[in-house]
Amino acid sequence: MCAVHTSSPHREKLSNAGAGRRTDTAAKADVIILGAGAAGLLCAREAAGRGLRVLLLERAAVPGRKLAVSGGGKANFTNRAIRPQDYYCHHSQDFCGPALASFRPEDMLALTRAWNLPVEERAHGQLFLTVPAQRLVRALVRDCRERGCRLLCDTAASGLSFGGERFQVEAGGTLWRGKALVLALGSPAWPQAGGSGMGYRLAQSLGHTVIPPRPALVPLRLAADDPAGAALLDLAGVSLPVRISLLETACGNDTECVWEDDLLFTHDGLSGPAALKASLFWREGASLCVDFLPGRNVEALLDAPQAGRQTARTLLARHLPQRLADALLPASLARRKIAELSRAARREITNAMQARILTPSGTAGLKKAEVCAGGVDTREIDPQTMRSLLRPNLYIIGELLDVTGLLGGYNLHWAWASGMAAGRNILK
């Protein structure tokens, strides 16, 4: 039996009629899904809607734990501009195409409307709920239950085997048998919201290759012994829109690693949407180029006739937070009158403002990461159906796969799209 947290101190009990007892020596289903996150829930809903007997097992006390707290609790559940090139796969961005084409942002919007969940659009095409994300979790669980899906929480898989054309899962003191198995267990990112590496281990036990995960959509750290970065370590709390690009990247040919978004300085480095997006493609040793005044011509500001009597510090503080302007400006030039500055000095100031080169020393790690890059090798998965190419009737979906999207609703949409692709095709 599962409980979904509500705004009240009480919990709404979510169970299925005829769920049976866990003391059954062997319980059968058409489909066993491990993991009741976004991907697992939508997959279960779709498969159960096709008349399949679906058993959904969740190791946590409640379903949709990460979904319920995503987007600051309002679930950035999709983005209007979903494209395959907004996703990172080690071997092929094309893997995402079929699932994304068959379940579009408009399709997810139609579901939210059917569930009477109000939506708002924010910057960069991001679509959020205007009500707690917990309502989205409850809507998914309610649909699963009404379609006959059996959902059990506090039920972690402790053993997994395959034989006689059936999967056998040991969980909660019961041996469950299913014709098909779906792994929807997520990644180790954000462990405080339930992330773990269990899905990787189960996939490997069934013969799949796992590309080692690394933190993604994660703050970047700056080193105190790097002069370019050290000057920015006293700016915690300062936030502003920037243009950020990666100089040495793993971006594909169709992906330009340049983003305009907000940057937030922290006590040990960079956060905010701009830094998190860059972290998806950042590798150790790679550098960032940051334009702190995107769309402005700093050299023209310095050359304006009325600027001559001002210092560079005074002029730029009109366009940037004073603390940031002081940190970026070369100390030898900051307090000199602009009329006294040579062309080379003005170019030096412009580069400091609009072409600042920073080399992060690392990331803030899995505990601060929203997702992981890496996971089950997509070369071993059918992109149309999410079916394993190595094991009959095994499906792998969501963040467990080596598919990672940009910040802004892309990863939740991948959960929906991959879950729907599997749900529509299981046991066809």
Side-chain angles (χ1 to χ4, degrees):
M1 186 157 53
C2 297
V4 172
H5 294 295
T6 65
S7 56
S8 73
H10 302 290
R11 293 182 178 182
E12 178 184 349
K13 298 297 182 180
L14 297 168
S15 62
N16 289 296
R21 297 182 179 179
R22 297 189 187 184
T23 55
D24 294 345
T25 56
K28 294 181 181 180
D30 294 319
V31 184
I32 299 174
I33 301 175
L34 301 184
L41 285 166
L42 195 59
C43 179
R45 175 187 182 276
E46 185 66 15
R50 292 175 43 221
L52 297 175
R53 294 175 300 165
V54 177
L55 172 66
L56 182 55
L57 302 179
E58 169 57 47
R59 69 187 184 91
V62 294
R65 183 177 170 190
K66 187 174 180 179
L67 174 58
V69 296
S70 65
K74 292 296 179 69
N76 179 194
F77 64 93
T78 191
N79 191 295
R80 287 198 182 277
I82 297 287
R83 309 172 303 166
Q85 54 264 46
D86 294 317
Y87 293 83
Y88 176 75
C89 304
H90 278 83
H91 296 296
S92 174
Q93 287 175 316
D94 294 337
F95 175 82
C96 305
L100 295 176
S102 64
F103 191 75
R104 304 164 300 162
E106 293 81 3
D107 299 318
M108 192 59 205
L109 268 173
L111 283 179
T112 60
R113 292 190 186 105
W115 292 324
N116 294 315
L117 298 175
V119 172
E120 68 176 358
E121 183 171 348
R122 301 186 190 175
H124 308 292
Q126 300 172 94
L127 294 174
F128 284 78
L129 300 180
T130 60
V131 294
Q134 191 60 253
R135 283 184 53 181
L136 175 56
V137 176
R138 288 204 296 269
L140 279 162
V141 172
R142 183 177 61 248
D143 272 15
C144 287
R145 181 174 56 185
E146 289 175 353
R147 293 176 178 211
C149 174
R150 183 177 180 183
L151 170 60
L152 296 176
C153 294
D154 280 323
T155 310
S158 56
L160 177 60
S161 61
F162 178 78
E165 298 185 349
R166 280 187 180 270
F167 291 93
Q168 296 188 147
V169 179
E170 295 178 37
T174 298
L175 181 64
W176 309 95
R177 292 176 179 167
K179 297 176 185 177
L181 176 69
V182 181
L183 298 183
L185 290 160
S187 79
W190 207 359
Q192 58 272 41
S196 82
M198 180 185 295
Y200 295 156
R201 294 189 292 272
L202 292 179
Q204 286 176 315
S205 76
L206 292 168
H208 276 277
T209 304
V210 172
I211 295 169
R214 61 176 176 83
L217 305 189
V218 62
L220 297 168
R221 289 179 170 153
L222 299 175
D225 58 0
D226 174 17
L232 307 178
L233 289 176
D234 293 328
L235 298 173
V238 172
S239 177
L240 76 164
V242 302
R243 180 180 172 89
I244 193 168
S245 57
L246 276 166
L247 302 183
E248 304 92 5
T249 77
C251 294
N253 293 333
D254 296 330
T255 302
E256 183 183 13
C257 277
V258 180
W259 303 278
E260 288 195 26
D261 216 321
D262 290 342
L263 183 71
L264 171 67
F265 289 95
T266 67
H267 70 284
D268 61 359
L270 308 173
S271 188
L276 268 58
K277 289 176 181 178
S279 76
L280 176 55
F281 297 96
W282 180 83
R283 295 293 183 277
E284 186 175 356
S287 298
L288 308 173
C289 181
V290 186
D291 178 354
F292 290 98
L293 286 167
R296 305 299 296 270
N297 187 330
V298 172
E299 203 155 355
L301 289 175
L302 296 171
D303 289 345
Q306 65 272 26
R309 295 184 180 181
Q310 301 176 62
T311 64
R313 179 178 184 268
T314 301
L315 175 65
L316 290 170
R318 295 177 182 170
H319 305 279
L320 292 170
Q322 182 71 71
R323 290 166 60 201
L324 177 59
D326 289 343
L328 293 174
L329 279 167
S332 61
L333 304 176
R335 297 181 183 274
R336 291 178 58 187
K337 289 185 177 180
I338 293 171
E340 301 171 358
L341 300 178
S342 66
R343 178 57 52 195
R346 296 179 190 211
R347 193 170 300 116
E348 183 180 356
I349 290 173
T350 298
N351 288 338
M353 299 293 119
Q354 297 196 287
R356 187 77 168 198
I357 305 300
L358 302 173
T359 305
S361 60
T363 74
L366 286 173
K367 287 186 177 181
K368 297 292 183 68
E370 295 197 13
V371 293
C372 280
V376 174
D377 194 331
T378 56
R379 293 176 297 182
E380 301 168 352
I381 304 295
D382 176 11
Q384 301 281 349
T385 64
M386 304 298 119
R387 179 179 55 83
S388 166
L389 300 177
L390 308 181
R391 183 79 63 172
N393 293 327
L394 171 65
Y395 298 78
I396 302 177
I397 60 177
E399 197 182 335
L400 187 52
L401 290 167
D402 176 32
V403 176
T404 313
L406 286 172
L407 185 75
Y410 297 92
N411 288 291
L412 263 180
H413 191 84
W414 174 248
W416 310 132
S418 60
M420 184 64 78
R424 286 170 171 168
N425 288 284
I426 293 172
L427 296 178
K428 271 195 172 180

